[in-house]
């Protein structure tokens, strides 16, 4: 079973062009690192009355949930692996609970963690979750990009807190090596390509980056999104893990 | 010596009448202060740089720069404090801009550490001289002897603050943007790095349906107006509530809204749309559509501002964007003193209300604001 031997992460949260009418600080982030390698980023829907508050409450609640073995231990004890329907049910309940406090509001949810020898990623909504793995002789390569709940007009089809039942996108891996997970809100992801991320990872190479290094990379990506006229809150979380 | 040459215009006017001896003394003082400060500041920048660079990978240091945000110089004894204070005071009396010029002259354009990190002077850098307790005390003979042991008495100390690092390629743009914002009486505000020729234009974006970026286009029609990529001029829909009542105006971008139409030559390619109200500047607001996006900003000559429906006051010199298919409501005539005027059609004769949106045939797309999904 792989084990996590090194961890580092960097963050750019709620960056926006000064004067932007759409950027309102609706993104929220929470982590249990360095005690536990769990990261949660959420983007409150800015078309809802209290999307930002909803997102801030959501990351706190979900961090607690995602830090434990609830995915298969409590909710699906009789099934091997992860029961997505059970996670979806939990998220529906969580959304319904938050809806009592922040009426008619909703938010996306992206999360990453290393748990019991597995790298696990989760996504609900129209944010972005990408994973990159460094391969011998080839360098950094994209390992996966989680799906997005979005219709043809670019509107999210599922959000936490909405009446639509949640079915999260999920990814897990036990592959060893160096990983970088990118959690991004659409203010960043809509304006960045995987090549832009790989460009930053080339700077990291085979070294173990510091938090300052990853903050710098996240800052560069945010700057790039701004230069491409992103008018939304821009949040980028880069998580580097070494699994051996 | 460079510093005395730099100071010649001020020194000559001040000391010419006093004869060559006084002039030589002034030159010597300028050289001594300039050289010492240059050395002290250089060392402080390099020390700070070396401290910061240890947190970063060499690959990142090679591609980035730190920015010198502030330099604080502290005289270490009464004599040094007295000469620096006198030196700065005398020359600032002759030229108010002397202080900034002098401090910029003692800073290098770029500092480099042995490991490859570099630091540039930020355009917003504010040097300052601060006096502390030591600056007001005269050292005893023993103290003066101790600090002179290595042949040089340390008269000043410098503390430097660095920000960043920022990508080397974006540093000049950021510097230009900051400098542009600082410039007084600016014309149209600039968009940060809006040039599409940044080498990534052709790449696919991660976003699917709703996630395509809008690129600024430099293409313009024969009339000099910004055009959509397809060459079709953008039509703006302006719903105006003012002293004349309510009306809807369709106009081609770019548009100038105000009380009085400027002369033809001054108007250039702008379409003028009059807004009648007590609190409307003669030239108030400019709206420009570029490719998929619409931008608006206060005209240079506007003495009054506007406020959005959610209470945001437009600032002079700032550029605001209206996302694709979105619309914005602006209340004219609001000033910083009279903020938070709520949209009230009954007061439209005083504070006109303008709703700006774009027309694309008969099709109106979804709003940029993310809605809550509903069960189908």
């Amino acid at each position: 079973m792989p084990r996590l031997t090194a961890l580092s992460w960097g963050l750019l949260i709620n960056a926006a062009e000064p004067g932007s009418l759409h950027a309102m600080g609706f993104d929220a982030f929470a982590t249990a690192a360095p005690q536990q390698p769990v990261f949660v980023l959420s983007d409150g829907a800015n078309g809802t009355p209290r999307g930002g508050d909803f997102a801030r409450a959501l990351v706190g609640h979900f961090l607690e949930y995602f830090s434990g073995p609830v995915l298969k231990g409590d909710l699906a004890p009789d099934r091997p692996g992860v029961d997505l329907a059970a996670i979806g049910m939990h998220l529906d309940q969580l959304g319904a609970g938050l809806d009592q406090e922040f009426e008619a509001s909703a938010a996306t949810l992206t999360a990453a963690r290393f748990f019991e020898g597995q790298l696990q990623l989760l996504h609900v909504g129209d944010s972005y979750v990408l994973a990159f793995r460094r391969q011998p002789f080839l360098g950094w390569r994209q390992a996966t990009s989680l799906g997005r709940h979005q219709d043809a007009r670019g509107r999210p089809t599922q959000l936490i807190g909405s009446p639509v039942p949640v079915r999260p996108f999920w990814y897990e891996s036990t592959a060893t090596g160096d990983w970088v997970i990118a959690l991004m809100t659409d203010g960043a992801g809509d304006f960045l390509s995987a090549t832009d991320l790989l460009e930053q990872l080339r700077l990291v190479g085979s070294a173990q980056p510091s938090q300052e290094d990853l903050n710098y990379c996240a800052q560069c990506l945010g700057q790039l999104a701004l230069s491409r006229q992103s008018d939304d809150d821009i949040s980028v979380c880069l998580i580097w893990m070494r699994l051996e | 010596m460079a510093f005395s040459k730099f100071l010649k215009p001020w020194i000559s006017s001040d000391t010419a009448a006093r004869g060559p001896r006084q002039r030589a003394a002034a030159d010597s003082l300028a050289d001594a202060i300039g050289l010492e400060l240059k050395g002290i500041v250089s060392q402080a920048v390099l020390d700070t740089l070396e401290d910061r660079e240890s947190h970063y990978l060499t690959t990142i240091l090679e591609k980035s720069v730190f920015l010198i945000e502030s330099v604080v110089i502290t005289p270490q004894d009464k004599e040094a404090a007295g000469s620096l204070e006198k030196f700065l005071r005398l020359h600032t009396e002759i030229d108010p801009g002397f202080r900034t010029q002098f401090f910029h002259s003692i800073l290098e354009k770029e500092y480099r550490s042995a490991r490859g990190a570099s630091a540039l002077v930020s355009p917003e850098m504010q040097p300052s001289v601060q006096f502390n307790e030591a600056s007001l005390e005269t050292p005893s003979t023993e103290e003066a002897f101790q600090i002179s042991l290595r042949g040089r008495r340390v008269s000043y100390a410098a503390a430097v603050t660095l920000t960043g690092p920022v990508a080397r390629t974006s540093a000049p743009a950021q510097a230009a943007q900051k400098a542009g914002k600082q410039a007084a009486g600016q014309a149209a505000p600039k968009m940060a790095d809006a040039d599409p020729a940044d080498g990534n234009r052709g790449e696919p974006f991660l976003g699917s349906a709703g996630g395509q970026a809008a690129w600024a286009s430099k293409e313009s029609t024969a009339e000099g107006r910004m055009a959509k990529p397809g060459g079709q001029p953008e039509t703006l829909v302006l719903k105006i509530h003012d002293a004349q009542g309510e009306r809807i105006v369709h106009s081609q971008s770019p548009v100038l809204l105000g009380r009085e139409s400027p002369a033809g030559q001054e108007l250039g390619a702008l379409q003028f749309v009059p807004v009648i109200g007590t609190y409307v500047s003669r030239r108030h607001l400019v709206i420009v559509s570029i490719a998929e996006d619409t931008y608006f900003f206060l005209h240079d000559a506007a003495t009054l501002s506007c406020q959005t429906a959610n209470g945001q006051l437009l600032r002079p010199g700032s550029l605001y964007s209206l996302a694709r298919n979105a619309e914005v409501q602006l209340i004219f005539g609001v000033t910083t003193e009279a903020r938070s005027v709520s949209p009230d059609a009954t007061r439209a004769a005083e504070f006109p209300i303008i709703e700006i949106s774009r027309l694309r045939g008969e099709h109106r797309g979804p709003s940029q604001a993310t809605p809550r999904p509903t069960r189908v």
Side-chain angles (χ1 to χ4, degrees):
Chain A
M1 182 184 287
R3 54 194 184 87
L4 181 68
T5 56
L7 171 72
S8 191
W9 57 281
L11 177 70
L12 174 73
I13 186 87
N14 278 319
E17 181 71 30
S20 163
L21 295 180
H22 299 281
M24 292 181 282
F26 273 35
D27 297 349
F29 174 79
T31 180
Q35 284 75 26
Q36 282 184 284
V38 187
F39 301 85
V40 185
L41 177 68
S42 172
D43 178 2
N46 59 10
T48 64
R50 296 183 67 187
D53 293 332
F54 189 100
R56 280 184 282 279
L58 174 64
V59 294
H61 284 288
F62 191 71
L63 182 71
E64 199 179 325
Y65 168 75
F66 208 44
S67 298
V70 288
L71 295 179
K72 47 186 179 182
D74 291 358
L75 289 172
D78 53 337
R79 298 187 199 176
V82 167
D83 186 340
L84 283 183
I87 299 173
M89 256 173 54
H90 175 83
L91 290 173
D92 285 337
Q93 286 166 9
L94 181 58
L98 290 173
D99 190 51
Q100 308 228 318
E101 196 178 347
F102 312 105
E103 201 178 340
S105 299
T108 71
L109 180 66
T110 67
R113 73 171 183 174
F114 181 77
F115 186 76
E116 292 183 347
Q118 271 194 347
L119 170 68
Q120 298 176 336
L121 310 175
L122 175 142
H123 181 214
V124 178
D126 59 346
S127 292
Y128 291 85
V129 180
L130 289 94
F132 300 86
R133 187 165 157 254
R134 196 170 62 81
Q135 296 179 6
F137 309 111
L138 294 173
W140 288 98
R141 290 285 183 273
Q142 185 174 339
T144 191
S145 166
L146 261 63
R148 301 175 69 221
H149 297 110
Q150 199 180 49
D151 66 17
R153 291 191 295 174
R155 290 176 170 178
T157 52
Q158 288 187 24
L159 290 176
I160 310 295
S162 81
V164 181
V166 166
R167 180 78 182 179
F169 288 107
W170 179 263
Y171 174 82
E172 59 191 28
S173 174
T174 53
T176 54
D178 291 354
W179 287 83
V180 165
I181 315 304
L183 308 179
M184 299 188 290
T185 56
D186 58 350
D190 281 355
F191 298 85
L192 298 170
S193 69
T195 314
D196 296 324
L197 286 141
L198 285 165
E199 193 72 32
Q200 294 303 317
L201 297 185
R202 263 197 283 280
L203 297 176
V204 173
S206 58
Q208 177 179 340
S210 63
Q211 185 163 358
E212 287 85 355
D213 290 322
L214 293 174
N215 279 340
Y216 169 81
C217 294
Q219 190 80 43
C220 285
L221 290 167
Q223 193 65 39
L224 201 55
L226 273 180
S227 74
R228 291 170 182 172
Q229 299 177 39
S230 170
D231 193 33
D232 200 353
D233 295 315
I234 296 172
S235 296
V236 178
C237 176
L238 297 174
I239 307 148
W240 179 94
M241 294 179 181
R242 178 162 286 165
L243 309 183
E244 290 176 345
Chain B
M1 183 68 214
F3 296 103
S4 53
K5 278 180 190 170
F6 168 70
L7 297 168
K8 278 292 193 279
W10 296 279
I11 288 171
S12 56
S13 63
D14 190 32
T15 58
R18 297 181 196 167
R21 192 176 293 174
Q22 283 88 345
R23 185 170 171 168
D27 278 3
S28 165
L29 176 67
D31 288 346
I33 292 177
L35 186 64
E36 174 133 22
L37 290 182
K38 192 163 188 161
I40 295 283
V41 169
S42 254
Q43 195 54 53
V45 171
L46 289 174
D47 288 347
T48 314
L49 193 57
E50 281 166 12
D51 185 45
R52 293 286 304 276
E53 72 176 359
S54 59
H55 300 284
Y56 294 90
L57 293 168
T58 315
T59 46
I60 286 179
L61 294 176
E62 284 167 0
K63 297 269 183 188
S64 63
V65 290
F66 291 89
L67 297 174
I68 301 171
E69 202 68 13
S70 75
V71 175
V72 178
I73 293 162
T74 310
Q76 294 297 287
D77 59 48
K78 195 172 180 178
E79 187 189 335
S83 8
L84 183 61
E85 174 63 15
K86 187 181 172 190
F87 171 75
L88 291 174
R89 183 171 44 79
L90 283 176
H91 291 96
T92 308
E93 278 171 10
I94 298 163
D95 174 21
F98 169 77
R99 197 185 180 93
T100 309
Q101 286 187 43
F102 173 71
F103 281 110
H104 275 90
S105 76
I106 62 169
L107 284 161
E108 297 296 334
K109 279 187 179 169
E110 184 171 356
Y111 294 86
R112 273 190 169 273
S113 74
R115 199 172 157 230
S118 39
L120 302 177
V121 179
S122 163
E124 289 182 341
M125 196 275 291
Q126 289 295 328
S128 71
V129 176
Q130 290 180 11
F131 294 81
N132 60 14
E133 209 171 312
S135 311
L136 304 173
E137 287 176 355
T138 308
S140 66
T141 317
E142 289 74 19
E143 285 168 333
F145 175 72
Q146 280 176 7
I147 57 175
S148 303
L149 270 180
R150 296 183 68 185
R152 185 174 64 87
R153 182 166 162 184
V154 179
S155 303
Y156 305 98
V160 170
T161 312
L162 298 180
T163 59
V166 296
R168 191 173 272 277
T169 47
S170 70
Q174 283 182 9
Q177 193 189 355
K178 284 179 179 176
K181 280 179 184 168
Q182 283 176 337
Q186 70 274 41
K190 288 182 178 178
M191 281 177 289
D193 298 340
D195 192 346
D198 65 356
N200 288 304
R201 190 180 180 181
E203 282 184 16
F205 289 93
L206 293 178
S208 52
Q212 276 130 33
W215 293 107
S217 166
K218 288 180 177 170
E219 191 183 343
S220 58
T221 62
E223 292 82 31
R225 295 188 191 120
M226 304 305 275
K228 288 199 290 184
Q232 206 181 338
E234 195 65 53
T235 301
L236 293 164
V237 182
L238 307 169
K239 193 172 177 185
I240 302 173
H241 304 256
D242 63 3
Q244 291 186 338
E246 184 183 330
R247 64 188 184 281
I248 293 176
V249 176
H250 290 75
S251 186
Q252 304 283 311
S253 164
V255 175
L256 169 64
L257 293 164
R259 190 155 41 86
E260 281 176 28
S261 174
Q265 280 184 336
E266 197 187 330
L267 196 58
L270 290 167
Q271 294 264 317
F272 182 76
V273 175
V275 179
I276 314 302
T278 311
Y279 301 108
V280 179
S281 294
R282 280 187 295 171
R283 289 122 213 210
H284 202 121
L285 187 81
V286 179
I287 311 168
V288 185
S289 285
I290 303 170
E292 292 290 307
D293 286 345
T294 301
Y295 299 90
F296 52 94
F297 55 89
L298 294 172
H299 191 276
D300 262 0
T303 50
L304 297 164
S305 181
C306 298
Q307 180 193 296
T308 63
N310 61 11
Q312 186 183 1
L313 190 73
L314 305 192
R315 294 189 306 271
S318 294
L319 185 68
Y320 300 86
S321 68
L322 174 64
R324 280 171 293 163
N325 307 313
E327 56 189 35
V328 67
Q329 190 181 58
L330 297 174
I331 307 161
F332 273 50
V334 182
T335 61
T336 41
E337 287 77 34
R339 285 200 67 164
S340 295
V341 173
S342 48
D344 183 356
T346 59
R347 295 184 70 193
E350 294 169 86
F351 302 98
I353 302 165
I354 317 288
E355 286 176 26
I356 307 165
S357 58
R358 301 197 327 175
L359 184 75
R360 289 185 185 175
E362 291 305 309
H363 172 72
R364 292 294 310 276
S367 163
Q368 172 107 346
T370 307
R372 192 182 190 220
T374 48
R375 201 188 286 263
V376 181

